Amino acid sequence: MRRNVREKKLYETYRLAYRRDMTSPAHIAMFSIAAHGHVNPSLEVIRELVARGHRVTYAIPPLFAEKVAETGAEPKLWNSTLPGPDADPEAWGTTLLDNVEPFLNDAVQALPQLIEAYEGDEPDLVLHDITSYPARVLGHRWNVPVVSLSPNLVAWEGYEKEVGEPMWEEPLKTERGRSYYARFHAWLEENGITEHPDPFVGRPARSLVLIPKALQPNADRVDETTYTFVGACQGDRSAEGEWQRPDGAEKVVLVSLGSSFTKQPAFYRECVKAFGELPGWHVVLQVGRHVDAAELGDVPDNVEVRSWVPQLAILKQADLFVTHAGAGGSQEGMATATPMIAVPQAVDQFGNADMLQGLGVARHLPIEEATAEALRAAALALVDDPEVAGRLRKLQDRMAQEGGTRRAADLIEAELAAARA
């Protein structure tokens, strides 16, 4: 497996420090928000660090305390003002400022809680999800290494010019947009940070990327002295439940729009029409908490309607995955070599859908075009195509070589060793 120069140096420092002091576990503090797509990718890394003897605390709102505790980490609880994972998607608003302002507001009110929670219990290293702005402030306050765990794409050289500036051009013409940046600047300066909010959020000093490199746009322009792609960190999911392919099912299709943007009854009805009438097909339809099965009308016996499913267990047996193309779902589809129809709903999902289609393992269908006819045509073109199957197997092999959980833990320990050297 190839390693960049920085990584080789870190490993050498780690080996030397580890030989000198094998019995000195660290206190590692992880910070995230109460969202499945931001907590789940980190859990196996946390579990591995605990297994290696480190004390790991995990700052998280109470809703996820039990899930965090199952890894062996100690939950450090704080109260969030963000919409919860079961909130109506409309709670997030529709504009860029609607989406970003809640994170700043939450960070400002969370920081005093976190300072109090860690008073006299400061860690040796900070890990954080990309949404946890207080974590970087606390790392600066404590003067300890800070490592981002990114559950989705990262910035490449030229990202600001190509994406950031065009995206912010109109909002910055408004009083609301200018006020947002002024408040962000003031909050950072109050905490001794002179960095501009954009690089503070989007340019960490060190980041482990928890997605396959194949899902990263412009991967050849990503600075791999800062960002290391360790790929999917998937562990034992048996606690989520099992699923058995029905006898006689010639094809199995899983339809899931993830955990947040699931309020799409019209789309689910199109899926029932698309696949429910195909002979020999079995459909697992996850509709989330905001749709009642009664809204789907008459559902054939070969359609299994659930509010939640053990996704990975089903994908290991499925022939097709209709997905919103979130980072987690996209890489689970790749890891199980399952062809995909990508129907993105929000944020990075549109880019992921394009990436999957570009890799030749999926079809990108905008939701307004996802009719029963279009879904069925895409499905029949994908499931028996040997070239699609071959590309999926190659991607599966490449993902396995990225190292996953163990490599992520090795790199975190290397950062610790470098700080102690």
Side-chain angles (χ1 to χ4, degrees):
M1 194 185 304
R2 295 181 61 189
R3 297 284 189 266
N4 61 48
V5 173
R6 174 185 175 138
E7 191 170 334
K8 288 178 181 176
K9 289 180 178 177
L10 279 170
Y11 270 123
E12 182 58 29
T13 305
Y14 168 54
R15 283 193 294 269
L16 291 171
Y18 190 69
R19 282 198 296 268
R20 285 199 307 267
D21 193 6
M22 292 179 65
T23 60
S24 178
H27 174 193
I28 299 170
M30 173 68 194
F31 296 80
S32 190
I33 61 169
H36 294 287
H38 292 271
V39 173
N40 291 348
S42 71
L43 293 178
E44 291 308 312
V45 178
I46 299 304
R47 195 187 312 276
E48 176 70 15
L49 291 169
V50 171
R52 295 185 183 197
H54 298 291
R55 176 177 173 237
V56 184
T57 56
Y58 200 125
I60 193 70
L63 189 61
F64 279 75
E66 184 177 350
K67 177 174 274 196
V68 162
E70 288 171 356
T71 68
E74 305 169 31
K76 290 267 192 179
L77 302 183
W78 60 280
N79 295 312
S80 175
T81 58
L82 293 173
D86 297 327
D88 191 310
E90 294 173 6
W92 285 101
T94 58
T95 70
L96 176 62
L97 285 166
D98 289 341
N99 294 160
V100 300
E101 283 180 329
F103 288 101
L104 176 59
N105 296 340
D106 195 48
V108 172
Q109 68 87 35
L111 183 60
Q113 297 182 59
L114 294 169
I115 290 172
E116 182 178 358
Y118 279 92
E119 186 69 37
D121 191 25
E122 292 81 4
D124 301 295
L125 179 141
V126 165
L127 297 176
H128 69 95
D129 179 75
I130 56 174
T131 56
S132 182
Y133 305 163
R136 290 194 63 187
V137 171
L138 290 168
H140 175 81
R141 180 188 184 99
W142 296 326
N143 192 30
V144 298
V146 178
V147 179
S148 161
L149 299 183
S150 179
N152 51 26
L153 65 86
V154 296
W156 55 87
E157 296 307 314
Y159 174 87
E160 288 77 9
K161 287 285 184 187
E162 296 165 19
V163 179
E165 291 178 14
M167 182 171 63
W168 276 98
E169 184 177 1
E170 291 304 316
L172 282 175
K173 293 177 182 177
T174 68
E175 178 59 33
R176 182 183 175 191
R178 291 190 293 271
S179 174
Y180 166 78
Y181 269 99
R183 288 190 297 115
F184 211 145
H185 270 292
W187 181 66
L188 291 177
E189 288 174 358
E190 285 170 11
N191 289 284
I193 297 173
T194 57
E195 191 174 20
H196 187 276
D198 287 348
F200 174 82
V201 171
R203 291 287 184 177
R206 183 73 175 110
S207 180
L208 304 183
V209 191
L210 309 181
I211 64 169
K213 192 173 181 179
L215 273 180
Q216 169 66 43
N218 301 301
D220 59 328
R221 288 195 276 152
V222 171
D223 179 4
E224 293 197 45
T225 63
T226 295
Y227 301 99
T228 302
F229 290 88
V230 299
C233 296
Q234 296 169 351
D236 181 7
R237 299 281 189 85
S238 59
E240 295 181 357
E242 298 296 330
W243 184 85
Q244 186 61 48
R245 185 183 181 112
D247 293 337
E250 297 172 18
K251 301 290 182 187
V252 168
V253 52
L254 170 63
V255 179
S256 172
L257 298 182
S259 59
S260 296
F261 299 94
T262 59
K263 195 177 180 180
Q264 296 288 356
F267 168 70
Y268 299 136
R269 287 193 290 269
E270 293 298 315
C271 289
V272 171
K273 292 178 190 175
F275 308 120
E277 299 173 2
L278 288 175
W281 282 57
H282 182 82
V283 186
V284 182
L285 182 60
Q286 177 181 285
V287 297
R289 296 177 181 273
H290 303 294
V291 174
D292 191 291
E295 297 179 68
L296 306 182
D298 292 333
V299 175
D301 291 341
N302 64 326
V303 178
E304 179 182 340
V305 180
R306 303 260 204 108
S307 61
W308 179 89
V309 297
Q311 182 164 289
L312 193 59
I314 297 174
L315 286 177
K316 289 176 180 178
Q317 305 171 66
D319 301 281
L320 178 70
F321 184 21
V322 181
T323 172
H324 65 309
S330 297
Q331 64 187 1
E332 286 181 2
M334 292 165 62
T336 55
T338 309
M340 287 167 273
I341 298 176
V343 188
Q345 305 296 299
V347 290
D348 64 323
Q349 298 159 18
F350 298 97
N352 292 340
D354 286 339
M355 291 293 291
L356 290 168
Q357 180 165 275
L359 290 167
V361 299
R363 298 288 188 274
H364 177 180
L365 271 183
I367 194 159
E368 61 274 11
E369 298 176 19
T371 62
E373 294 75 16
L375 287 162
R376 188 184 300 119
L380 295 175
L382 285 165
V383 295
D384 289 321
D385 187 330
E387 293 186 2
V388 171
R391 287 190 285 267
L392 280 163
R393 284 193 297 271
K394 288 180 181 178
L395 284 170
Q396 194 178 39
D397 290 342
R398 283 166 56 187
M399 287 177 65
Q401 293 171 14
E402 287 178 319
T405 302
R406 291 185 61 82
R407 187 178 177 204
D410 286 347
L411 289 168
I412 291 164
E413 289 187 321
E415 294 289 337
L416 272 168
R420 291 172 166 177

